[in-house]
Amino acid sequence: MRPDSRLLSTRRALSAIPLLALLSGLACSSVDRTPATGSDPAPGPMTPPEASEAGGAPGSDPSPSSSSGLTEDEILAIPPEVGSETDLLDIGAKSLEELNTEGHLKDVQFDYDSADLSPPMRATIEENAAWLSRYPSVRILVEGHCDERGTVEYNLALGEERARAVRDYLRDLGVDSGRMRIISYGKEFPLDPGHNETAWRRNRRAHLEIVAK
Amino acid sequence: MKPPRPPRLVLAALGAALATGVAAGFVPVPGIARPVTGPGVPAEAAGGTPEVGVTSLAPPSATAGAQDAGDWYLDITRPGAPVRMAIPDFRLAPPEASESEGRAGETDAAPADPLSDAGLVVAEEAAASASVASAVLWGDIEYAGVYRMLPKRFYRIAEAGSPEGVLDYYQWESIGADILVSGTLRIDGEMLVAEVRMHAVRAQENVFGRRYTAARGAARTLAHRIADDILQHAGNYQGVARTRIAFSTNRSGPRSKEIYLMDYDGHGQRPVTANGSLNITPSWSPDGRALSYISYREGAPALYLAFLYQGRGEKLVGDFQSFTPAWSPDGRWIAFTSNRDGQSEIYLAAVDGAELRRLTDNRAIDVAPAWSPNGRTIAFTSDRTGAPQIYTMDRDGLNLRRVSFEGSWNDSPAWSPSRQHSEIAYASRIERRPFDIVVHDFETRQTRQLTTGRGSNESPSWAPNGLHIAFASNRAGDDQVFTMHRDGSNLKQLTREGSNTTPRWGNPPANPR
């Protein structure tokens, strides 16, 4: 389940474009197996798998061969956990609440008074991007949150900046921006009500909420 | 014993007339707030709009009373010490038979017989109202902090020395009173009637006499109006007794915050919004009749207006995210922050929705606009130099100046409305310590600290007279709303239920209808 994030981020630094192609190619090839393995075709909410972010507008039809430009090295560089995850979740059978509580998308933890993305934060976002690319029908709300030590007013803008930073990087990774909305909650809704360093660290976050599947 | 002192009674004209609107309670806004009833909620919050009617009383002697036309104030001084004021409790007066008979159509004119059951109930209610009005009037005058309140235990000495039913100025002078405010209160039909006189003790003159009427049950409102009148005419002081504070609270449910109102003293806390969503950062219209605020009720944070006396609310700016509205002093614009062009920038939106202007343009965060009293300058927070600091700019976005230089995080500027002091309050942090409220004086270029490290102190907001500051502090656990004098003294906690943030002090409502 957990890909080697260091590897991903290293690859991103070396060549971002092939990685995008890699992610989208993965998504397509994985999604293509759905009809074979899925006991429930989930007709309703499951949009056609071809409408992945790689193709942009819905209705376009990118073929699975879009990953054919990969070299063998690049294919080998695919983290095994990702590559071996052949059994897709049947997200049509789960409620939004279940999907969100199961924690498929990871919070991005920020530094104090900062919306900058460090390498570990980028790795978390890349992990999220990979998951989103496997479920192209999923739409998300990127929530920006802050810890209680900042002021109410500035934190609203800071939370917005955090949400925007995560949204922009997800977009750079190939997640269609039409699937994402951002919102800032400032410090109004802390995840951890505590008043200590641990709570503050947990509360300085961008949370990715699944709002449609 | 003492040589007779010359009267030091001076009547001075007020330069500018103060607001003449009558005091009024809060009318719940249909579609915005649920009507609130129940114990602890004052009658004015439950529906009615009690007004306080004011008429002049005939002067007891030919020498006084003529001042009531026009604006004036006493100029009484006590060298080296504050002027001393005596305010005995309201005395109960029997209903006036003549006025009761005037209400011929009413069946419940029965209280004319004070010994009937109904008469006793009314007498009890009158006593309770007098008790409330006495305490509120005392509290309002004391809050101003400009008079030394003579303790009530001295009053019996002065009263015992006076002949029955006669005001003996020498007796009040002997206990040190410079100003005496005395009043009676009665219930007359459905009305509460108070008669109040103010005396300049050493000058031996009744300088003020007014009759106030309000609905039964509105003793607090009545007393607030009296207090503001007394403060105005005793020393040209703009009281805050009828002002209100809006704030955001989570008391009504988890994962929600609603906009609430309360009187300046914390009484009558009642909701403006009731939609179960996140409603934050209220800002008053200059006439005290409306609020702008941010609500997440449709998902994204949008800018809403609530017209408190018209039962009407509207969304002013809905697309993209909007934050931290601030109503302009001329009432025509809302300054706010939006990300509509990608980053957090400050915009102006016309209240009638006709126009939208962008004032800032850079990659940094620009947030929390606050208007100068004359409406020409806007203070705001920006992290364009790396950390949040306070800046000012002209209302067209030009002429940028940095105000705060100390501290690692300065935010939520609030410009003093005072005519005497040109200063700005904001929340300031040194390193990673909690926030304290500081005030920067533009004339002296000095910054003074008002709170001293007890909890985190945020979101200052000035009283309309520029002499008090409301703010939120977590010094007692959750965030609560406090007020203090502009020098940091006279701290008072107003809220206790839930977490309460972003207080905004509003003008008393003018012409509530």
Side-chain angles (χ1 to χ4, degrees):
Chain A
M1 193 61 202
R2 181 177 295 267
D4 185 341
S5 54
R6 272 177 304 144
L7 180 56
L8 266 176
S9 69
T10 307
R11 285 209 55 83
R12 181 198 59 78
L14 290 175
S15 58
I17 305 300
L19 176 68
L20 292 182
L22 175 63
L23 283 170
S24 55
L26 262 178
C28 292
S29 56
S30 300
V31 168
D32 284 346
R33 296 181 209 178
T34 309
T37 57
S39 53
D40 179 7
M46 282 287 280
T47 55
E50 291 78 14
S52 80
E53 71 291 341
S60 67
D61 189 6
S63 75
S65 66
S66 63
S67 62
S68 64
L70 293 179
T71 66
E72 194 173 20
D73 276 356
E74 284 167 329
I75 291 169
L76 286 176
I78 298 169
E81 290 89 348
V82 173
S84 62
E85 188 172 3
T86 54
D87 297 325
L88 279 177
L89 283 168
D90 184 2
I91 60 172
K94 290 177 182 290
S95 69
L96 287 176
E97 195 182 353
E98 283 171 328
L99 286 173
N100 280 311
T101 51
E102 283 166 6
H104 302 291
L105 295 169
K106 303 284 184 295
D107 281 5
V108 181
Q109 311 282 341
F110 282 85
D111 293 333
Y112 170 81
D113 185 22
S114 168
D116 295 340
L117 298 178
S118 64
M121 292 155 69
R122 289 184 185 274
T124 306
I125 299 171
E126 286 154 10
E127 208 178 319
N128 289 327
W131 192 90
L132 287 168
S133 69
R134 289 198 292 278
Y135 303 98
S137 61
V138 164
R139 291 171 180 271
I140 59 166
L141 179 63
V142 183
E143 304 174 356
H145 295 269
C146 305
D147 74 36
E148 63 174 356
R149 289 175 302 168
T151 40
V152 168
E153 294 83 359
Y154 179 85
N155 271 350
L156 288 164
L158 179 60
E160 198 264 335
E161 210 171 54
R162 285 175 177 166
R164 182 151 39 87
V166 171
R167 192 259 330 257
D168 288 354
Y169 190 45
L170 284 169
R171 192 183 54 205
D172 291 347
L173 293 171
V175 180
D176 188 274
S177 53
R179 299 170 60 192
M180 302 181 285
R181 285 192 302 116
I182 62 172
I183 196 166
S184 171
Y185 287 114
K187 63 172 178 176
E188 305 300 323
F189 288 148
L191 178 67
D192 186 329
H195 306 290
N196 50 48
E197 202 57 64
T198 312
W200 295 331
R201 198 177 318 117
R202 294 186 70 201
N203 291 335
R204 290 191 301 267
R205 72 197 197 280
H207 173 70
L208 279 56
E209 182 84 3
I210 299 170
V211 294
K213 58 192 171 79
Chain B
M1 295 283 182
K2 288 178 287 185
R5 277 168 297 196
R8 296 197 52 186
L9 168 62
V10 179
L11 297 180
L14 285 181
L18 297 174
T20 54
V22 291
F26 170 68
V27 181
V29 180
I32 297 180
R34 287 185 296 264
V36 189
T37 53
V41 177
E44 52 264 41
T49 314
E51 293 185 39
V52 179
V54 184
T55 52
S56 292
L57 287 175
S61 69
T63 59
Q67 312 88 343
D68 214 41
D71 295 315
W72 57 271
Y73 64 93
L74 282 172
D75 185 11
I76 293 179
T77 55
R78 174 177 280 275
V83 171
R84 294 166 174 168
M85 193 178 274
I87 311 181
D89 288 347
F90 281 94
R91 282 172 288 117
L92 287 177
E96 272 185 11
S98 59
E99 290 189 22
S100 296
E101 284 164 9
R103 306 171 188 281
E106 295 181 19
T107 52
D108 56 356
D113 176 7
L115 292 180
S116 69
D117 284 354
L120 288 173
V121 168
V122 169
E124 242 172 57
E125 185 189 323
S129 293
S131 171
V132 168
S134 299
V136 169
L137 176 61
W138 181 281
D140 289 348
I141 305 261
E142 185 175 45
Y143 186 86
V146 290
Y147 296 103
R148 163 129 182 262
M149 308 296 283
L150 274 181
K152 288 182 180 176
R153 64 178 184 276
F154 295 162
Y155 301 171
R156 261 179 301 144
I157 302 169
E159 282 160 355
S162 304
E164 181 72 28
V166 176
L167 173 61
D168 184 344
Y169 285 111
Y170 290 111
Q171 294 295 333
W172 289 96
E173 190 175 349
S174 74
I175 65 166
D178 298 308
I179 295 174
L180 168 66
V181 176
S182 65
T184 63
L185 190 135
R186 67 176 189 269
I187 285 177
D188 187 359
E190 290 309 303
M191 303 301 284
L192 213 50
V193 181
E195 294 186 0
V196 178
R197 293 185 185 274
M198 177 164 67
H199 307 271
V201 172
R202 279 178 281 159
Q204 304 207 345
E205 274 194 276
N206 171 213
V207 293
F208 174 98
R210 286 185 180 177
R211 176 183 294 116
Y212 297 86
T213 55
R216 276 164 70 168
R220 300 192 68 86
T221 311
L222 186 80
H224 285 322
R225 171 63 203 261
I226 295 168
D228 278 351
D229 279 4
I230 293 292
L231 287 168
Q232 184 196 338
H233 290 293
N236 191 17
Y237 182 94
Q238 182 189 348
V240 296
R242 288 170 293 161
T243 62
R244 299 167 306 182
I245 296 171
F247 59 102
S248 182
T249 178
N250 70 352
R251 69 182 66 179
S252 48
R255 279 192 76 82
S256 77
K257 286 195 173 183
E258 305 288 358
I259 305 293
Y260 269 55
L261 288 188
M262 61 185 163
D263 298 346
Y264 91 98
D265 56 6
H267 274 270
Q269 303 187 11
R270 58 241 193 225
V272 175
T273 65
N275 54 50
S277 176
L278 190 58
N279 301 277
I280 54 173
T281 60
S283 170
W284 284 98
S285 65
D287 64 4
R289 293 166 55 86
L291 287 167
S292 66
Y293 63 101
I294 298 300
S295 178
Y296 289 63
R297 72 184 69 170
E298 292 175 358
L303 175 52
Y304 287 81
L305 306 179
F307 296 92
L308 303 175
Y309 296 95
Q310 299 166 25
R312 186 165 68 84
E314 67 181 49
K315 184 164 70 177
L316 184 65
V317 181
D319 46 349
F320 301 94
Q321 300 187 71
S322 301
F323 299 111
T324 61
W327 212 308
S328 69
D330 66 6
R332 294 174 51 218
W333 298 91
I334 310 278
F336 67 106
T337 288
S338 171
N339 69 342
R340 59 181 51 241
D341 294 317
Q343 287 115 22
S344 294
E345 307 289 1
I346 291 175
Y347 296 78
L348 293 185
V351 170
D352 61 11
E355 208 179 329
L356 190 69
R357 296 181 191 167
R358 187 168 83 183
L359 300 189
T360 59
D361 183 11
N362 63 79
R363 291 191 59 80
I365 284 175
D366 296 309
V367 72
W371 295 83
S372 68
N374 64 14
R376 291 196 207 113
T377 312
I378 294 173
F380 64 104
T381 304
S382 177
D383 71 344
R384 58 188 67 199
T385 55
Q389 297 290 349
I390 309 294
Y391 294 79
T392 63
M393 62 182 166
D394 292 349
R395 53 161 295 160
D396 56 8
L398 302 176
N399 203 10
L400 185 80
R401 287 170 196 218
R402 182 167 167 181
V403 173
S404 65
F405 289 93
E406 290 167 33
S408 55
W409 188 321
N410 294 303
D411 189 20
S412 45
W415 217 304
S416 169
S418 167
R419 288 186 287 266
Q420 287 95 36
H421 311 285
S422 177
E423 54 193 16
I424 200 164
Y426 53 93
S428 182
R429 157 186 290 166
I430 309 289
E431 300 302 323
R432 294 199 183 187
R433 293 211 292 268
F435 285 94
D436 276 308
I437 307 294
V438 302
V439 171
H440 177 81
D441 186 324
F442 285 108
E443 275 158 28
T444 65
R445 294 174 170 270
Q446 300 291 309
T447 302
R448 63 182 192 272
Q449 184 176 338
L450 300 191
T451 60
T452 49
R454 288 199 58 216
S456 192
N457 306 284
E458 285 188 44
S459 302
S461 173
W462 294 89
N465 65 5
L467 297 174
H468 311 274
I469 293 175
F471 63 102
S473 174
N474 66 358
R475 62 183 65 199
D478 282 331
D479 281 310
Q480 300 297 350
V481 175
F482 292 77
T483 64
M484 63 183 166
H485 193 264
R486 64 179 279 279
D487 64 8
S489 67
N490 200 15
L491 191 77
K492 208 176 160 193
Q493 181 175 348
L494 303 189
T495 61
R496 295 178 192 279
E497 186 185 354
S499 164
N500 304 279
T501 54
T502 55
R504 289 291 181 276
W505 211 320
N507 284 318
N511 305 317
R513 294 192 187 283

